[in-house]
Structures are given as structure tokens and as C-alpha cells.
């Protein structure tokens, strides 16, 4: 058993190493990426929601986290503040809200231009 595991963050493709037992929230923040939270990692605000793409490498979901996610865990969602790294894992981070708005606007503009031609 290794003491460090690789965490692949999507969609950026950034890879980081994290010690076994480190929460995803701590690992992501140490990598220099921003993952919002208001509750300080107490599973209260739901802002640090991520999707476990690999389906492996994270601690088992607790009953508290499962209740908070309200069924979203079935689609691979986890709370980064509650998920501990226990092996290699691939995680999808939520898109920054401002970037998402700009992306949607650019997509609408492209669609309108395509209709004109």
C-alpha cells in the first residue's frame, strides 16, 4: 500500500499527488485550484460537490454524506470535504460559474451564426 496516490482532476487534466486519508477538498486546494465552501468542510453547504469519474479511490460514503447528496451519489457525486483519498482517483470538478456563463454565451453566438449561413 502506497502512502501517496495520484488524483486526476477533470476537465483540466491536472494531476496531483495526495497522501492516503487526505480529503479531496484539501488535496484540490493544495494543488492551487479553487473549490468553494462556506461550512469549512463540515458537509453543511454542499458547495464542494464533485463527481467521482473513476468510481474508485475514495473512502466509503457516510450516511450523513449520502443524506446530504439526496440520491446524487448514485451518479458518482461526492462532497470533497467528506471524501478521503484511499487510492488513485479521477475527479470531475465543477465548472467555474463565470466561465460557464461565458462558454454558454459563446455557444449561443456560434449557433446563431450557423443559422445565418
Amino acid at each position: 500500500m502506497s502512502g501517496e496516490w495520484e488524483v486526476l482532476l477533470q476537465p483540466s487534466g491536472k494531476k496531483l499527488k495526495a497522501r492516503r486519508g487526505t480529503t479531496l477538498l484539501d488535496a484540490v486546494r493544495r494543488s492551487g485550484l479553487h473549490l468553494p465552501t462556506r461550512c469549512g468542510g463540515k458537509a453543511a453547504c454542499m458547495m464542494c460537490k464533485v463527481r467521482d469519474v473513476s468510481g474508485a479511490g475514495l473512502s466509503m460514503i457516510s450516511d450523513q454524506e449520502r443524506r446530504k447528496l439526496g440520491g446524487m451519489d448514485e451518479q458518482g457525486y461526492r462532497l470533497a470535504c467528506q471524501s478521503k483519498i484511499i487510492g488513485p482517483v479521477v475527479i470531475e470538478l465543477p465548472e467555474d460559474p463565470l466561465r460557464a456563463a461565458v462558454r454558454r454565451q459563446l455557444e449561443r453566438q456560434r449557433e446563431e451564426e450557423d443559422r445565418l449561413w
Side-chain angles (χ1 to χ4, degrees), residues 39-60:
C39 69
K42 302 201 180 4
C45 69
M46 299 280 294
M47 291 180 72
C48 67
K49 194 170 47 225
V50 297
R51 195 165 74 82
D52 178 4
V53 178
S54 61
L58 295 179
S59 58
M60 291 196 49

Side-chain angles (χ1 to χ4, degrees), residues 90-117:
V90 180
I91 298 298
E92 184 178 272
L93 296 178
E95 190 173 19
D96 176 85
L98 180 57
R99 285 182 189 222
V102 169
R103 180 185 47 76
R104 285 191 300 270
Q105 181 62 33
L106 290 172
E107 287 171 358
R108 278 193 292 272
Q109 287 174 348
R110 273 189 231 114
E111 288 172 7
E112 289 173 14
E113 289 172 0
D114 288 346
R115 278 184 272 177
L116 292 174
W117 295 102

